[in-house]
Amino acid sequence: MAEKVDCAVIGAGVVGLSIARELALAGREVIILEAESAFGTHTSARNSEVIHAGIYYPTGSLKARLCVAGRKALYGYCAERGVNHKRIGKVIVATDDTQLEGLKKYKKQAEVNGVDDLRMLTRDELAELEPAVISTAGFLSPSTGIIDSHGLMLAYLGDAENRGAALVLNSPVTGGAVESDGIRLEVGGADPMTIVCKTVINAAGHGAPAASRAIAGIPPQTIPTNYYAIGHYYTLTGKTPFNHLVYPVARQDWLGVHVTIDLGGRCKFGPDFSWRDGLDYRFDEGREARFYEAIRRYYPGLKDGALQPGYTGMRPRITGQGQEAVDFVIQDHTVHGVRGMINLYGMESPGLTSSLAIGAYVGELVANDRS
Ligand SMILES: Cc1cc2nc3c(=O)[nH]c(=O)nc-3n(C[C@H](O)[C@H](O)[C@H](O)COP(=O)(O)OP(=O)(O)OC[C@H]3O[C@@H](n4cnc5c(N)ncnc54)[C@H](O)[C@@H]3O)c2cc1C
């Protein structure tokens, strides 16, 4: 006999945990199914840990809306729940005159997105704020910050568990079907089980398209192909010469090799961008020369030997090489025709910043689904 479950969330990354929290706070009985032996070991543990202001994203996109709303909510939540974070601020810099246009575009897009606190900096101000950086122009984003992503996930999980939610580890969703009395899920692992759920949220990150494909009844044409775009981080040995995060104007489809400072005061550079065939976090040390070259465009003081291989992260892309990155894709029955099923695809940056707002957004879709 299959066990009846009110609501199952597939995936215990920052997105799945935020959604589980939201649903548990709304009084739903929630089970979180996680394939790994711990929560948050994939993209949510392999990112820049930046609270983004919401500058770059296209007008009206979910990324723009959920990032700005999520960032505002996140600062309040972190303060209330004691999640370690810092509103450190970020300077975005042009390193030559050809990038001035890019800088102006960012400023304009930020205003459209409701990021109204950017401040253009004079060359003198830039030199005073970031003496190690050479730049021709730039602006300051005071509301950009850094966060302990593990601490954030722990807080989401704590809130959810306090309202009765259960996290079940080593429990990959391997199959299922849309049936008359709910959505059946086959859960593998050491203790396989079958459950029938009123509501299923597929927040499996890289595994989300595969999880959808494994559930008979979800129209295959609504399920995107996933692609894997890796980003490498190098760490800087010694004391950080920077006071803020430093982002050069973006090149092509990534934000350039930028400077991030973690909550321990350590400095890292990245992520870069290249394609992989599958989920493969191996660090390619052959990228070092390109990092030195890109960083020295704005930080000429970088000494030979100062960079150490750090870690990698993989963007859960749903568009491939030569195609533009797309918006977050969050599908309910109006897209795929299955009542009670919500699928989240392409949850790359700024998914961490947006997580509370994604939780609220999905919570609303679920409430409307039942009405
Ligand atoms: C290089 C990089 C840098 C980034 N930097 C930032 C940043 O600075 N700021 C920001 O806001 N965002 C950033 N992001 C984006 C952010 O990290 C992601 O949007 C967010 O972590 C996605 O969370 P998630 O829960 O969707 O995915 P994940 O964290 O990957 O979680 C998905 C979970 O689902 C589980 N799973 C998979 N398949 C199954 C299955 N079949 N059954 C059960 N469980 C399954 C996995 O084990 C995993 O735990 C960055 C992303 C990358 C790649």
Side-chain angles (χ1 to χ4, degrees):
M1 266 289 277
E3 200 181 319
K4 298 265 181 202
V5 166
D6 180 18
C7 189
V9 176
I10 309 174
V14 74
V15 170
L17 290 171
S18 170
I19 295 168
R21 168 186 178 272
E22 183 75 28
L23 296 176
L25 291 179
R28 302 290 302 266
E29 181 205 328
V30 180
I31 173 171
I32 311 161
L33 301 166
E34 169 53 50
E36 303 286 357
S37 56
F39 67 84
T41 60
H42 284 279
T43 312
S44 301
R46 294 171 164 273
N47 57 66
S48 302
E49 298 195 296
V50 172
I51 301 175
H52 288 298
I55 297 170
Y56 312 98
Y57 313 108
T59 309
S61 62
L62 281 178
K63 285 186 181 175
R65 285 156 47 202
L66 298 177
C67 183
V68 172
R71 183 244 304 159
K72 289 178 181 165
L74 195 55
Y75 279 119
Y77 181 79
C78 288
E80 193 186 303
R81 299 287 278 104
V83 177
N84 199 3
H85 71 290
K86 191 172 177 190
R87 207 184 285 244
I88 190 172
K90 157 169 109 175
V91 293
I92 303 184
V93 295
T95 50
D96 61 55
D97 288 347
T98 63
Q99 294 182 336
L100 290 179
E101 213 39 51
L103 211 56
K104 279 189 211 146
K105 264 197 205 148
Y106 286 165
K107 178 99 174 20
K108 219 163 149 197
Q109 190 60 45
E111 278 157 16
V112 173
N113 291 353
V115 183
D116 46 20
D117 60 352
L118 297 187
R119 192 161 69 77
M120 289 307 288
L121 298 168
T122 62
R123 224 179 250 250
D124 286 350
E125 282 174 316
L126 272 166
E128 198 183 319
L129 286 178
E130 290 298 341
V133 173
I134 51 154
S135 58
T136 51
F139 58 77
L140 175 71
S141 166
S143 55
T144 300
I146 50 177
I147 183 165
D148 167 11
S149 52
H150 188 80
L152 179 65
M153 288 189 277
L154 207 55
Y156 287 162
L157 179 61
D159 287 352
E161 285 178 336
N162 283 340
R163 290 301 192 99
L167 169 64
V168 194
L169 299 170
N170 302 304
S171 299
V173 171
T174 54
V178 180
E179 297 182 341
S180 55
D181 57 342
I183 299 161
R184 175 169 53 81
L185 295 181
E186 301 297 341
V187 185
D191 295 309
M193 59 180 169
T194 302
I195 54 176
V196 175
C197 319
K198 275 194 207 144
T199 300
V200 173
I201 313 294
N202 175 6
H206 288 287
S212 288
R213 251 177 254 118
I215 300 171
I218 299 179
Q221 68 276 16
T222 64
I223 307 171
T225 303
N226 46 345
Y227 298 91
Y228 303 90
I230 194 165
H232 294 75
Y233 293 87
Y234 276 85
T235 54
L236 182 71
T237 47
K239 204 172 161 285
T240 174
F242 309 107
N243 303 311
H244 305 83
L245 310 185
V246 180
Y247 281 47
V249 169
R251 293 191 292 155
Q252 287 148 4
D253 56 355
W254 50 294
L255 294 179
V257 175
H258 53 249
V259 172
T260 311
I261 300 165
D262 69 18
L263 286 157
R266 288 171 297 267
C267 172
K268 60 183 186 263
F269 296 96
D272 65 347
F273 187 104
S274 57
W275 294 101
R276 289 253 164 114
D277 292 334
L279 196 58
D280 171 5
Y281 294 118
R282 266 175 310 163
F283 198 101
D284 171 11
E285 295 197 18
R287 310 192 73 78
E288 195 174 289
R290 263 174 281 181
F291 267 78
Y292 275 102
E293 195 242 303
I295 297 163
R296 281 175 176 151
R297 286 202 194 119
Y298 58 89
Y299 173 42
L302 178 65
K303 292 200 171 63
D304 282 341
L307 294 182
Q308 295 296 320
Y311 62 97
T312 62
M314 306 272 311
R315 301 164 178 90
R317 278 272 153 121
I318 50 171
T319 50
Q321 199 154 6
Q323 296 173 300
E324 295 240 336
V326 290
D327 201 4
F328 293 147
V329 173
I330 305 179
Q331 299 178 342
D332 67 356
H333 68 93
T334 60
V335 180
H336 52 56
V338 180
R339 286 266 177 196
M341 179 91 216
I342 311 279
N343 291 315
L344 294 95
Y345 304 119
M347 304 308 289
E348 44 181 311
S349 195
L352 173 65
T353 309
S354 310
S355 52
L356 273 176
I358 294 169
Y361 181 85
V362 171
E364 229 169 90
L365 291 182
V366 169
N368 291 337
D369 189 271
R370 276 151 59 98
S371 60

